[in-house]
């Protein structure tokens, strides 16, 4: 049973900016509100309701002329269109932001000139209200002057026909969240039935306030705001034996369909929760879910984020315990205060970029017999990793090796370039976090192989290190996501080699069991991540992949067998 007495917040549009705080609370805590003083004449609302009533009286074959090829489910829905839609019938307009689309809706249904006037005026005004409400909601979160004019907007004109006493209490629209960014609902002010669910799982009746417009946040609002906006679950139940009308306007997504999180909502405390995706892909995913609610449908697009522990090199030995935990439990960590100048890191990235632009025949001159892939690994090296290209130096601790690397590839590189490569390599080689604290007991920890890696980030998931080189985990889905094309990911990797047994645990003052075995030739890897293009994932103890967000200014270090460190090619 619905609980009585709890009301949905009411926002007075004539009282801004005073209402901003209330709007912020409504949008982030309740997920919906009713708007008064919205500027849409009451007479127009009533006329549209009458027009809607007459549209549903049109012959079936006329109603079926309502189609919107550009949007999923964007057509006339007869009753029983969905298994639990026995009461529900609806028309759809896409894109209701476009007067031309509204007019073609009218023409397809052959409405009278008077009805056409009402419909066009109504959607013109309702869309205007949508733009105002979307920017106000966003402003309430602190972003001023945001416009949603470039977003698509779907309209749905709905009727629920309840014919018998037995219908009372039945569910006419099952519990769901809207897929939209924002929804404006002109609900039937005479017939209730809309219910929202609160944080405790209680259903609450939304009692229609005469003349008010109901607004709610949808799934795209949650994604765009990185979880700040609250997506309310709602449903419609039958309250009385009559026909209920409602009209919804749904602000869906930018016109190109690309949904991403607004950068202003991403920071170290609020890592990006969802991948970028295409709105229609989301709709398809959502349609597959038993319940169309964001928690289920968005699960696929959720990023598994792990904020890697950061070891502050300026704070050793106090950080040793943290380092021990990171090394023995997680196998990787970030390093801050590493003294590697940011400018050098940035220059190295540029140097790496220009290295990969050198003609292939010159790159192939980088032949190094000690490296298993011969020093230059072209994208064709393995069909399993077509986006991966790398150049290697062996041994990067040796200035002579770095120098010969530069001269081999010296098709055009300038001195600054050579200096940069040399500077980066030497730094990484001489001042690794291992330098002070991972003193090897009886073994030799020696900086060795360096790689400069380049990824043309497309459509697949790569693993580097030992085979398997490729895990095509989500490649299929990503392959539809053409906007991923052309992103290049650059990394510089320094591998510390080791040939003798390490008593690693002892060194860290921890249990020796796990690491008192040979760690093969790859002991420690220092990675300069691409700070603009994510993609590094680790596999946790449960076998789940977790995104490692690049932490600005830190170097990434991982232990030993690097088979668990993966490069995933989306950003
Ligand atoms: O008809 C109503 O009042 C609500 C409809 C709804 O929730 C929707 O179309 O998403
Ligand atoms: Fe809804």
């Amino acid at each position: 049973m619905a609980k009585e007495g709890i009301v949905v917040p009411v926002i007075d549009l004539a009282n801004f900016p005073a209402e901003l705080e209330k709007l912020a609370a409504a949008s982030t805590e309740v997920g919906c509100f009713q708007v008064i003083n919205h500027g849409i004449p009451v007479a127009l609302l009533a006329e549209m309701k009458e027009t809607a009533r007459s549209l549903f009286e049109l012959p079936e074959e006329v109603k079926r002329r309502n189609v919107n090829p550009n949007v999923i489910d964007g057509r006339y829905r007869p009753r029983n269109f969905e298994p639990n839609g026995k009461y529900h019938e609806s028309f759809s307009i896409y894109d209701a932001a476009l007067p031309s689309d509204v007019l073609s809706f009218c023409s397809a249904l052959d409405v009278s000139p008077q009805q056409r006037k009402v419909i066009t005026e109504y959607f013109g005004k309702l869309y205007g209200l949508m733009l105002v409400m979307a920017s106000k909601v966003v402003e309430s979160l602190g972003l001023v002057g945001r416009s949603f004019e470039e977003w698509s907007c779907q309209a749905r004109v709905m009727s629920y026909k309840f014919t018998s006493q037995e219908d009372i209490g039945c569910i006419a629209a099952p519990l769901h969240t809207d897929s939209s960014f924002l929804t404006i609902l002109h609900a039937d002010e005479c017939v209730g039935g809309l219910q929202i669910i609160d944080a405790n799982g209680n259903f609450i009746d939304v009692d229609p306030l005469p003349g008010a417009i109901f607004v709610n946040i949808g799934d795209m609002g949650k994604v765009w705001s990185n979880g700040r906006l609250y997506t309310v679950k709602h449903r419609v139940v039958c309250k009385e034996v009559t026909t209920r009308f409602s009209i919804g306007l749904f602000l869906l997504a930018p016109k190109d369909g690309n949904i991403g999180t607004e950068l202003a909502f991403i920071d170290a405390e609020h890592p990006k929760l969802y991948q970028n995706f295409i709105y229609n892909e989301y709709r398809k995913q959502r349609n597959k879910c038993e319940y169309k609610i964001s928690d289920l449908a968005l699960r696929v697009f959720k990023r598994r984020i792990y904020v890697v522990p950061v070891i502050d090199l300026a704070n050793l030995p106090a950080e040793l315990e943290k380092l021990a935990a990171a090394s023995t439990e997680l196998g990787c960590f970030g390093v801050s205060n590493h003294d590697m100048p940011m400018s050098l890191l940035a220059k190295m990235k540029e140097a790496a970029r220009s290295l990969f632009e050198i003609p292939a025949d010159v790159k192939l001159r980088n032949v190094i017999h000690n490296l298993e892939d011969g020093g230059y690994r072209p994208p064709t090296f393995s069909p399993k990793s077509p986006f991966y290209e790398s150049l290697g130096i062996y041994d990067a601790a040796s200035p002579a090796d770095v120098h010969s690397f530069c001269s081999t590839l010296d098709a055009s590189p300038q001195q600054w370039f050579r200096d940069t490569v040399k500077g980066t390599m030497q730094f990484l080689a001489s001042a690794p976090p291992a330098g002070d604290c991972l003193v090897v007991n009886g073994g030799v920890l020696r900086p060795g192989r360096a790689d400069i890696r380049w990824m043309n980030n497309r459509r697949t998931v790569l693993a580097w290190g030992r085979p398997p080189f490729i895990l095509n985990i989500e490649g299929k889905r990503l392959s539809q996501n053409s906007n991923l094309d052309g992103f290049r990911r650059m990394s510089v990797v320094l591998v510390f080699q080791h040939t003798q047994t390490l008593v690693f645990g002892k060194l860290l003052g921890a249990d020796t069991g796990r690491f008192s075995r040979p760690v093969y030739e790859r002991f420690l890897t220092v990675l300069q991540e691409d700070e603009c293009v994510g993609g590094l994932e680790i596999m946790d103890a449960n076998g789940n992949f977790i995104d490692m967000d690049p932490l600005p200014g830190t170097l990434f270090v991982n232990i030993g067998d690097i088979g668990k460190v993966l490069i995933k090619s989306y950003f």
Side-chain angles (χ1 to χ4, degrees):
M1 274 306 284
K3 288 209 165 170
E4 302 292 327
I6 311 169
V7 286
V8 170
V10 177
I11 302 293
D12 182 352
L13 200 51
N15 189 28
F16 270 82
E19 297 276 275
L20 271 180
E21 211 170 304
K22 199 163 148 199
L23 179 60
S27 308
T28 58
E29 289 159 28
V30 189
C32 62
F33 48 89
Q34 304 208 51
V35 184
I36 56 168
N37 286 321
H38 45 64
I40 300 180
V42 177
L44 183 59
L45 295 176
E47 279 174 324
M48 183 62 203
K49 188 174 157 190
E50 276 321 300
T51 305
R53 187 190 304 279
S54 60
L55 292 183
F56 288 104
E57 280 160 10
L58 289 169
E60 187 79 8
E61 70 275 10
V62 178
K63 293 187 206 176
R64 285 186 187 275
R65 288 192 219 138
N66 168 227
V67 285
N68 300 278
N70 289 339
V71 69
I72 294 171
D73 305 334
R75 58 180 61 239
Y76 166 70
R77 279 191 202 170
R79 257 178 273 287
N80 292 316
F81 178 83
E82 291 194 323
N84 41 19
K86 93 179 212 212
Y87 306 107
H88 182 275
E89 186 182 357
S90 69
F91 294 102
S92 174
I93 304 176
Y94 183 89
D95 178 350
L98 304 173
S100 55
D101 276 22
V102 178
L103 281 175
S104 16
F105 170 78
C106 293
S107 310
L109 299 185
D110 213 1
V111 303
S112 71
Q114 171 58 17
Q115 288 172 325
R116 178 183 300 248
K117 184 168 169 287
V118 172
I119 293 171
T120 50
E121 195 181 338
Y122 176 86
F123 283 111
K125 287 214 155 44
L126 211 63
Y127 175 61
L129 178 63
M130 174 64 94
L131 291 182
V132 170
M133 289 323 303
S135 350
K136 290 253 180 286
V137 165
V138 168
E139 189 180 337
S140 81
L141 299 182
L143 294 184
V144 183
R146 227 24 102 92
S147 156
F148 289 84
E149 276 173 23
E150 292 307 311
W151 288 45
S152 316
C153 199
Q154 185 179 2
R156 222 172 242 298
V157 182
M158 297 167 272
S159 136
Y160 304 83
K161 197 167 184 176
F162 306 117
T163 52
S164 96
Q165 283 294 326
E166 265 131 57
D167 293 335
I168 294 180
C170 288
I171 293 170
L175 189 68
H176 67 282
T177 57
D178 291 351
S179 69
S180 57
F181 177 89
L182 199 70
T183 301
I184 284 187
L185 190 73
H186 168 200
D188 197 317
E189 60 189 53
C190 309
V191 191
L194 180 65
Q195 294 184 331
I196 60 166
I197 201 167
D198 73 7
N200 304 319
N202 298 317
F203 286 104
I204 297 165
D205 282 318
V206 178
D207 294 324
L209 208 61
I213 299 274
F214 179 83
V215 178
N216 68 279
I217 309 286
D219 307 346
M220 295 309 101
K222 182 171 175 172
V223 173
W224 186 86
S225 66
N226 211 18
R228 291 276 296 281
L229 293 171
Y230 181 80
T231 310
V232 69
K233 297 187 189 83
H234 54 283
R235 68 179 187 182
V236 177
V237 294
C238 169
K239 291 283 180 179
E240 55 185 282
V241 182
T242 184
T243 302
R244 177 182 186 274
F245 295 98
S246 61
I247 297 157
L249 208 59
F250 305 85
L251 188 68
L252 302 182
K255 285 200 196 295
D256 64 6
N258 285 311
I259 283 285
T261 301
E262 166 62 42
L263 291 180
F265 298 120
I266 305 171
D267 57 37
E269 276 97 63
H270 305 94
K272 186 175 166 189
L273 295 175
Y274 300 98
Q275 299 165 27
N276 296 356
F277 55 82
I278 304 283
Y279 174 75
N280 272 354
E281 295 299 318
Y282 175 66
R283 277 288 276 264
K284 282 186 209 153
Q285 181 60 32
R286 183 176 181 266
N287 285 345
K288 281 191 228 152
C289 296
E290 194 181 346
Y291 293 100
K292 290 178 181 157
I293 58 175
S294 61
D295 305 350
L296 293 176
L298 278 171
R299 209 162 41 185
V300 170
F301 301 97
K302 215 170 163 129
R303 302 174 71 225
R304 299 182 60 96
I305 304 156
Y306 190 89
V307 180
V308 62
V310 176
I311 307 300
D312 180 357
L313 275 196
N315 192 26
L316 287 175
E319 298 269 282
L320 269 184
E321 211 170 303
K322 196 164 148 198
L323 177 59
S327 307
T328 57
E329 287 157 26
L330 188 66
C332 60
F333 48 88
V335 184
S336 65
N337 280 322
H338 45 61
D339 285 342
M340 180 87 167
M342 291 302 284
S343 54
L344 185 56
L345 293 177
K347 267 178 149 182
M348 185 59 205
K349 191 175 157 190
E350 275 319 298
R353 191 186 300 281
S354 55
L355 272 181
F356 290 105
E357 278 158 15
I358 292 174
D361 57 321
V362 180
K363 289 187 264 195
L364 280 165
R365 283 193 224 141
N366 187 46
V367 177
I368 297 165
H369 297 295
N370 288 347
L371 295 178
E372 69 252 41
D373 50 22
Y376 171 58
R377 183 172 158 152
T380 49
F381 183 82
S382 156
K384 288 178 182 167
S385 50
F387 307 117
Y388 178 101
E389 188 180 356
S390 82
L391 286 156
I393 300 173
Y394 189 102
D395 142 13
S398 143
D401 270 23
V402 175
H403 185 77
S404 83
F405 171 78
C406 290
S407 22
T408 306
L409 298 176
D410 196 5
S412 70
Q414 301 113 355
Q415 187 61 36
W416 75 266
F417 167 80
R418 276 201 294 274
D419 292 347
T420 304
V421 175
K422 207 156 132 186
T424 309
M425 294 307 169
Q426 283 179 349
F427 180 87
L428 289 174
S430 65
D436 288 338
C437 50
L438 298 182
V439 183
V440 179
N441 182 7
V444 181
L445 179 63
R446 174 182 158 69
R449 168 183 171 162
D451 280 345
I452 299 156
R453 295 178 170 164
W454 177 93
M455 252 26 85
N456 190 355
N457 264 51
R458 266 185 295 185
R459 300 179 178 175
T460 189
V461 179
L462 302 174
W464 48 265
R466 294 168 181 284
F469 282 95
I470 182 162
L471 294 178
N472 215 350
I473 309 162
E474 285 167 303
K476 203 161 161 237
R477 180 164 55 73
L478 288 166
S479 69
Q480 296 156 357
N481 207 344
S482 58
N483 68 332
L484 294 177
D485 281 359
F487 277 84
R488 277 151 202 208
R489 187 177 189 288
M490 223 68 78
S491 50
V492 178
V493 185
L494 195 79
V495 180
F496 285 78
Q497 311 199 125
H498 180 259
T499 47
Q500 299 179 35
T501 306
L502 294 171
V503 190
F504 189 61
K506 211 182 205 170
L507 301 168
L508 298 167
D511 166 70
T512 55
R514 195 163 154 204
F515 284 97
S516 59
R517 60 183 169 83
V519 199
Y520 311 109
E521 79 276 19
R522 287 163 191 199
F523 172 66
L524 201 66
T525 303
V526 179
L527 183 65
Q528 177 190 336
E529 276 282 279
D530 194 319
E531 71 284 2
C532 304
V533 188
L536 183 68
E537 289 190 325
I538 64 159
M539 187 186 275
D540 72 6
N542 303 321
N544 297 318
F545 289 104
I546 307 173
D547 281 310
M548 304 304 269
D549 274 356
L551 289 165
T554 60
L555 291 169
F556 180 83
V557 179
N558 71 281
I559 307 284
D561 179 3
I562 57 175
K564 282 182 185 169
V565 180
L566 302 176
I567 299 289
K568 186 163 125 182
S569 68
Y570 66 80
F571 56 101

